[in-house]
Amino acid sequence: MTAPRRILLVDADAFFVAVARQEDPEGAGRATLLIVGGRPGSRGVVCSASYECRAYGVRSAMPISRALALCPDAMCVPVPRGACSARSREIQGVLARFSPVVQASSIDEWYCDLGGTEALYQHEPLRVTAHRIREAVFEATGLNVSIGGGTSRLVAKMAVEVAKPKPGSGADGVHCVDPGAEAQFLSRFALADLPMVGPRLAEKLARMGLERVHDAQGWSEEALVSRLGDRAGRWLAQRVHGIDESIVTPRDRQKQVSREDTFARDINDDEVLERELLRLAVRVSADLRRQALRARTVAVKVKDTAFRSRTAQRTLSSFIESEKSVLKAARPLLRQLRRKQKAPLRLLGIALSHFDDEPGAGERTATQLGLFGAELPPVAAGSSADSGAPAQEPTESPKDRALTRALDRIRDRYGSGAILPASLVDPAQDTGPRVEE
């Protein structure tokens, strides 16, 4: 008989808030009401907020101005990005001491598969092991984590929400669901709480009289298939009973490298926007090279003053890594977006994907997943995103790449501003403060 799977989801509690408090103990560390995401008066959005702020209605992705209107006494600080990355690596290092397989789901979430470790931990209950992991993470990093456990990733994901020690919850940071109790545990949730049940599906289920997981558990798989179709019906029938065969893998393949800036003031000048695009190209290409990657797909994202986002992308016939090549591929995309709708912009971004370590990356065409959360058809290699004319694709020779890496070494030694394109040097042409997204 196969032993039940032992899956944990480790979630760092209010991660960005906790790290911000560690980095500034006399400032953010003393603030009960704390918002992480930008300075007061900035155009940024909330990255995270303390539980006390959330009680006022402050939520992630909310504009800073709106968050401070709801909670005017809150302290607001930028995201300590470097420190967050370092703490994330430290937590993952601790988890690797307990679990043979650790998969980072995000900067503050990790799945662990403890299958086959029963004898190693003297067959103790999974929740006991989870508590020891939680204590080890705190001892090593000073950060608290919540841990959900069960026989599948789905159950672990739902269990960690119950484990979080929110004010008044009585939770102690760990909640593990015993094998065989999955359906009973999930019955407490709304269907909309299940991962991958979006607003449209939730509305359709509500019209069927299904709002809670308990409601759907009373339907047979055949009945769900008859109303939702074969794929969605079978998927939902399995999920409401806690069945999820997805595995924990050591490392998720990186999907994209991206940079975005929210401007201190709206920008409608094309020359200024292209200069900001160059600034982003310098940073995102450096991120790419730092990870020893090259990319074939380039995307540009804009967001106007009404918070409407639009994205354009193209897939090249060869891989690129330099800021010059990234800019050459991105500039026509920005012009395309501006030509279709010329409105003042509050945000500009570049994303790079389709890396040269991916299966099939050497093929000339590929189907791309939507970037920045939107699904878009790729622009075929050899076509132009800016007009109907043949594309002038960026090309990189070994000499070009050697020069780029020489510049990286100088910047690593003397700072990111040691060598910049000339148009970014003049402070008189600077648009002002930006919030890096």
Side-chain angles (χ1 to χ4, degrees):
M1 181 177 178
T2 304
R5 294 202 297 166
R6 293 156 49 86
I7 308 296
L8 298 178
L9 177 59
V10 180
D11 185 340
D13 296 335
F15 179 65
F16 296 97
V17 168
V19 175
R21 285 173 168 162
Q22 282 188 338
E23 291 300 294
D24 181 19
E26 296 304 313
R30 295 178 180 271
T32 301
L33 300 173
L34 182 63
I35 296 171
V36 179
R39 298 290 185 187
S42 74
R43 303 287 296 280
V45 297
V46 175
C47 177
S48 184
S50 63
Y51 289 125
E52 293 80 3
C53 279
R54 297 178 196 182
Y56 286 83
V58 176
R59 296 291 182 267
S60 297
M62 178 182 287
I64 292 292
S65 58
R66 172 62 177 159
L68 290 176
L70 291 172
C71 189
D73 295 330
M75 181 179 185
C76 193
V77 299
V79 179
R81 296 185 182 279
C84 288
S85 297
R87 298 296 187 282
S88 179
R89 291 191 295 270
E90 291 169 8
I91 293 174
Q92 184 160 339
V94 175
L95 301 180
R97 288 165 24 200
F98 287 85
S99 174
V101 183
V102 179
Q103 176 183 336
S105 178
S106 66
I107 195 172
D108 59 351
E109 283 190 344
W110 302 263
Y111 283 99
C112 300
D113 188 343
L114 273 68
T117 64
E118 294 86 347
L120 179 64
Y121 297 115
Q122 290 78 49
H123 298 279
E124 67 186 13
L126 186 58
R127 61 179 176 79
V128 175
T129 307
H131 274 293
R132 292 203 288 112
I133 293 173
R134 189 169 187 264
E135 292 166 4
V137 170
F138 183 79
E139 182 178 349
T141 68
L143 298 174
N144 286 309
V145 297
S146 296
I147 303 178
T151 56
S152 69
R153 288 171 50 130
L154 168 65
V155 172
K157 176 72 172 176
M158 303 306 290
V160 81
E161 295 302 318
V162 179
K164 292 179 181 179
K166 299 174 183 177
S169 69
D172 65 359
V174 171
H175 188 92
C176 293
V177 180
D178 293 332
E182 296 87 356
Q184 181 181 358
F185 167 71
L186 292 173
S187 66
R188 72 181 70 185
F189 295 99
L191 286 166
D193 294 332
L194 296 180
M196 305 303 293
V197 175
R200 288 186 180 180
L201 179 55
E203 289 176 8
K204 185 173 183 178
L205 293 171
R207 290 195 296 270
M208 296 164 53
L210 304 178
E211 295 188 355
R212 311 290 301 178
V213 171
H214 174 74
D215 301 331
Q217 288 175 341
W219 285 47
S220 67
E221 181 176 302
E222 291 75 16
L224 289 172
V225 167
S226 69
R227 296 293 297 274
L228 299 174
D230 184 75
R231 183 177 179 183
R234 294 184 188 281
W235 177 88
L236 186 63
Q238 291 182 339
R239 293 305 184 274
V240 297
H241 289 92
I243 300 171
D244 173 18
E245 299 300 330
S246 61
I247 64 173
V248 178
T249 57
R251 177 181 180 270
D252 272 347
R253 186 176 299 280
Q254 178 135 357
K255 298 294 191 301
Q256 70 174 30
V257 175
S258 63
R259 286 279 190 161
E260 297 179 1
D261 277 341
T262 298
F263 307 124
R265 60 180 178 83
D266 300 331
I267 300 177
N268 202 31
D269 185 306
D270 288 330
E271 183 178 346
V272 175
L273 286 170
E274 292 200 6
R275 192 160 57 245
E276 292 301 314
L277 191 74
L278 170 59
R279 193 184 307 275
L280 287 165
V282 170
R283 301 207 319 263
V284 75
S285 62
D287 294 341
L288 187 76
R289 295 189 299 274
R290 197 172 292 118
Q291 298 176 61
L293 298 172
R294 292 181 296 160
R296 274 186 57 215
T297 297
V298 180
V300 171
K301 173 186 176 181
V302 299
K303 183 182 291 184
D304 62 24
T305 52
F307 287 84
R308 290 186 297 261
S309 295
R310 294 180 295 126
T311 308
Q313 72 176 38
R314 66 183 297 193
T315 297
L316 309 172
S317 59
S318 58
F319 295 101
I320 60 173
E321 63 177 45
S322 71
E323 60 201 48
K324 178 181 177 182
S325 296
V326 170
L327 179 66
K328 187 172 182 179
R331 185 186 287 124
L333 298 172
L334 175 61
R335 291 176 179 175
Q336 172 194 354
L337 292 167
R338 295 286 288 165
R339 189 172 62 250
K340 289 182 177 179
Q341 183 179 337
K342 189 166 184 178
L345 300 182
R346 61 175 282 116
L347 176 146
L348 180 64
I350 299 177
L352 307 176
S353 62
H354 194 191
F355 303 128
D356 57 359
D357 66 342
E358 295 179 354
E363 299 173 7
R364 186 171 175 81
T365 59
T367 300
Q368 296 293 318
L369 293 177
L371 299 173
F372 303 104
E375 195 164 322
L376 296 168
V379 178
S383 68
S384 171
D386 189 37
S387 67
Q392 293 184 348
E393 289 197 352
T395 58
E396 293 181 345
S397 67
K399 183 181 293 186
D400 293 330
R401 289 173 178 156
L403 174 60
T404 295
R405 290 166 187 172
L407 296 177
D408 284 341
R409 290 193 291 272
I410 294 173
R411 288 166 176 160
D412 287 343
R413 183 171 182 179
Y414 297 105
S416 59
I419 296 181
L420 291 172
S423 63
L424 301 184
V425 175
D426 185 358
Q429 294 185 320
D430 196 332
T431 61
R434 303 163 191 81
V435 178
E436 295 184 15
E437 302 293 342

